[in-house]
């Protein structure tokens, strides 16, 4: 005798519908971040010599209401720029076309460092901030002109508490379940589409009449650049060392494999 389950079609339909809903959930679209349009700095310089700034990026900016320009030169002080490591950005500031009737001083330099990611949830998270101004009462600020520059260093944190919190919050857009605040590996950032830092600077100038010493006005100038991070990470896998190169979408490919013996010889 053949027994026919009248509910079999209904059960199959529920299973099929459930399977479809699971598939649709797993393939839910993820918002991507817009392409960042910045000049990007290379980080392949291993020494900090007198000509280091010549190998970086020069940003020439108009000064609102003035006939002279501000020239900012940037150079990364680390040959391998990593998100989760402390790093240094070197920069110099001077004027271009400054009248001999004016003196110019830098009152304050403010810099914010953000991460750039291909995924919207992580793009724009603040990593570090810096403020620098004159540390005595003898001058208005750092004096600059066409031949005299101000040379500065921005020491950028790798993973401070604020950055860890911001990045953990970003994970809520792409991870189901609980979100844990913790230090993360460099590969974690690369897998989430992080590929660079954006550095935004606000430079406050004080313009002084050279003859009368009268302060004529204060004006701010903005400047931005990007710094690509090192997108290669080495893993130890089954007695071998494998180096992976990450793409902007978080995918990776193995580009180098060496044995432990070869690794010891290199050391």
């Amino acid at each position: 005798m053949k027994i026919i389950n009248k509910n079999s079609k209904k059960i199959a339909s529920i299973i099929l519908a459930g399977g479809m809903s699971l598939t649709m959930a797993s393939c839910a679209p993820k918002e991507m971040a817009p392409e960042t349009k910045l000049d990007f700095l290379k980080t392949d310089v291993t020494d900090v010599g007198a000509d280091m700034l010549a190998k970086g990026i020069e940003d020439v900016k108009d000064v609102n209401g003035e006939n002279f320009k501000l020239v900012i030169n940037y150079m990364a002080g680390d040959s391998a720029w990593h998100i989760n490591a402390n790093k240094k950005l070197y920069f110099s500031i001077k004027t271009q076309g400054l009248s001999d009737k004016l003196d110019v001083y830098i009152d304050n330099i403010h810099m914010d460092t953000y991460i750039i990611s291909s995924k919207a949830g992580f793009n724009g998270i603040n990593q570090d901030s810096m403020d620098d101004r004159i540390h005595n009462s003898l001058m208005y600020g750092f004096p600059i002109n066409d031949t005299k520059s101000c040379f500065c260093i921005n020491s950028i944190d790798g993973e401070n508490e604020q950055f860890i919190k911001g990045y953990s919050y970003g994970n809520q857009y792409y991870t189901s379940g609980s979100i844990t605040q913790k230090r993360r590996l460099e590969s974690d950032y690369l897998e989430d589409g992080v590929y660079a830092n954006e550095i935004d600077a606000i430079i406050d100038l004080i313009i002084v009449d050279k003859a009368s010493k009268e302060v004529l006005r204060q004006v701010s100038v903005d400047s931005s650049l990007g710094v690509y991070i090192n997108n290669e990470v080495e893993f130890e896998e089954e007695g071998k060392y494998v180096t992976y190169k990450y793409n902007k979408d978080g995918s990776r490919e193995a580009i180098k494999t060496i044995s432990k013996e070869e690794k010891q010889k290199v050391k």
Side-chain angles (χ1 to χ4, degrees):
M1 181 175 64
K2 186 176 180 181
I3 299 176
I4 299 176
N5 186 347
K6 294 183 178 180
N7 294 322
S8 60
K9 290 184 178 181
K10 185 177 180 181
I11 293 170
S13 298
I14 293 172
I15 293 173
L16 180 59
M20 289 177 64
S21 65
L22 289 172
T23 303
M24 291 174 66
S26 63
C27 298
K30 304 277 178 70
E31 182 179 345
M32 304 304 291
E35 188 72 21
T36 301
K37 296 180 180 179
L38 291 171
D39 289 330
F40 280 84
L41 188 62
K42 295 181 179 179
T43 59
D44 55 358
V45 177
T46 57
D47 63 325
V48 183
D51 64 340
M52 59 171 291
L53 291 172
K55 302 174 184 177
I57 288 178
E58 181 179 85
D59 191 16
V60 181
K61 306 291 293 187
D62 291 330
V63 179
N64 178 269
E66 302 295 331
N67 293 323
F68 67 91
K69 298 179 183 294
L70 204 64
V71 181
I72 308 104
N73 282 279
Y74 295 102
M75 183 65 232
D78 300 272
S79 58
W81 191 276
H82 296 283
I83 286 294
N84 70 348
N86 297 336
K87 42 207 169 277
K88 292 181 176 64
L89 179 74
Y90 297 87
F91 59 100
S92 70
I93 307 171
K94 66 177 183 178
T95 61
Q96 183 183 89
L98 181 67
S99 168
D100 58 8
K101 297 180 180 180
L102 298 176
D103 283 329
V104 175
Y105 299 88
I106 298 175
D107 176 44
N108 187 67
I109 302 169
H110 177 82
M111 281 189 171
D112 286 311
T113 301
Y114 305 92
I115 64 169
I116 302 176
S117 173
S118 61
K119 297 181 180 180
F122 304 105
N123 192 54
I125 294 175
N126 183 272
Q127 183 167 12
D128 197 11
S129 295
M130 179 209 79
D131 280 282
D132 196 16
R133 57 172 51 237
I134 199 74
H135 301 293
N136 61 61
S137 58
L138 302 177
M139 296 181 289
Y140 290 111
F142 304 114
I144 58 172
N145 54 40
D146 286 9
T147 59
K148 183 186 297 181
S149 63
C150 172
F151 184 82
C152 307
I153 303 173
N154 181 6
S155 180
I156 301 168
D157 287 345
E159 292 186 305
N160 57 34
E161 183 179 0
Q162 177 186 350
F163 179 54
I164 291 173
K165 285 182 177 179
Y167 189 79
S168 298
Y169 180 79
N171 269 288
Q172 293 182 25
Y173 292 96
Y174 294 97
T175 306
S176 60
S178 60
I179 304 299
T180 304
Q181 291 184 10
K182 63 178 182 179
R183 286 182 58 89
R184 298 180 185 274
L185 302 174
E186 190 73 7
S187 57
D188 293 333
Y189 298 113
L190 293 169
E191 288 171 1
D192 283 329
V194 177
Y195 63 91
N197 273 127
E198 177 179 341
I199 299 171
D200 295 335
I202 301 295
I203 303 163
D204 297 322
L205 304 177
I206 296 176
I207 302 172
V208 178
D209 182 271
K210 186 174 290 187
S212 66
K213 304 301 180 183
E214 177 188 358
V215 175
L216 300 177
R217 62 192 297 249
Q218 183 275 337
V219 61
S220 297
V221 177
D222 70 293
S223 176
S224 299
L225 77 152
V227 183
Y228 285 121
I229 64 175
N230 188 311
N231 63 343
E232 297 179 7
V233 178
E234 185 180 69
F235 291 83
E236 183 180 357
E237 297 179 357
E238 300 178 353
K240 295 181 180 180
Y241 292 90
V242 182
T243 300
Y244 290 93
K245 184 177 182 178
Y246 286 79
N247 302 309
K248 287 184 179 180
D249 62 0
S251 62
R252 68 178 190 177
E253 56 183 318
I255 60 172
K256 183 180 179 181
T257 302
I258 62 174
S259 64
K260 282 190 175 182
E261 292 75 16
E262 289 175 311
K263 183 80 169 179
Q264 291 299 322
K265 289 179 182 179
V266 173
K267 291 181 178 180

